[in-house]
Amino acid sequence: MNRVRIAHVVSTSPPYEGGMGTVAVNLVNELRKLGYDADLISPGDGLTPWFRYGNANFNPELLWRLRKYDIVHLHYGFFGGTEFILFAKWFKLLKAKLVVHYHNDVVGVGIVKSVAWLDEKLFLKSLFRSADAVIALSEYHLQHS
């Protein structure tokens, strides 16, 4: 029997101090204990952004890096990564099941706020529709964010 291959894709990971990366690392470790072939894919763990601005990372590498997985667990918001995963789903380049883990509403000022707003308007609903499952903090959070 083949082991299920799961990729946790996140914009940051330890030693960067942030909740999304910590959650992703903990999930990968627990999945491995259960016998799954789980990997963390982030700019801190082998993913090479073409360029980055803050925690946003432009990562076309995801188009080919994720092909070997059965499940892709995307920790949203990953600006510069989410769009490539969505593109891959649209054009059937990614056969894996897609789980979207909606951690929080992205807030910020200046360009960060503008990019978050634009990303939400252009991609978020389509990302949710393309997902096989969506995880959020609560039903209220999912419905009102």
Side-chain angles (χ1 to χ4, degrees):
M1 180 168 113
N2 291 335
R3 290 172 50 167
V4 175
R5 296 164 300 175
I6 303 169
H8 276 265
V9 183
V10 64
S11 60
T12 62
S13 61
Y16 178 86
E17 292 183 18
M20 284 195 322
T22 301
V23 167
V25 166
N26 289 339
L27 288 171
V28 166
N29 290 336
E30 292 303 314
L31 286 166
R32 287 176 178 165
K33 287 178 189 176
L34 294 171
Y36 292 96
D37 185 4
D39 293 320
L40 181 70
I41 298 178
S42 79
D45 283 284
L47 189 61
T48 307
W50 287 14
F51 65 86
R52 69 186 312 159
Y53 181 82
N55 291 338
N57 304 279
F58 186 76
N59 287 282
E61 178 182 349
L62 290 169
L63 291 172
W64 58 89
R65 279 282 299 275
L66 298 176
R67 287 186 177 176
K68 69 178 185 176
Y69 294 96
D70 303 303
I71 299 170
V72 171
H73 188 137
L74 171 65
H75 295 264
Y76 184 87
F78 183 172
F79 305 114
T82 296
E83 300 79 9
F84 287 105
I85 292 171
L86 187 55
F87 177 85
K89 284 297 275 186
W90 286 343
F91 292 97
K92 311 242 186 282
L93 302 172
L94 181 64
K95 306 288 187 217
K97 300 287 185 183
L98 177 61
V99 175
V100 175
H101 196 141
Y102 189 81
H103 283 266
N104 58 356
D105 298 328
V106 178
V107 296
V109 295
I111 193 166
V112 172
K113 184 175 183 175
S114 298
V115 168
W117 177 85
L118 185 62
D119 188 81
E120 180 182 321
K121 296 300 176 205
L122 293 177
F123 301 113
L124 191 56
K125 286 183 183 176
S126 183
L127 179 66
F128 285 169
R129 282 193 295 271
S130 297
D132 295 284
V134 176
I135 299 169
L137 295 174
S138 68
E139 183 68 27
Y140 179 86
H141 185 77
L142 186 61
Q143 296 299 323
H144 295 92
S145 291

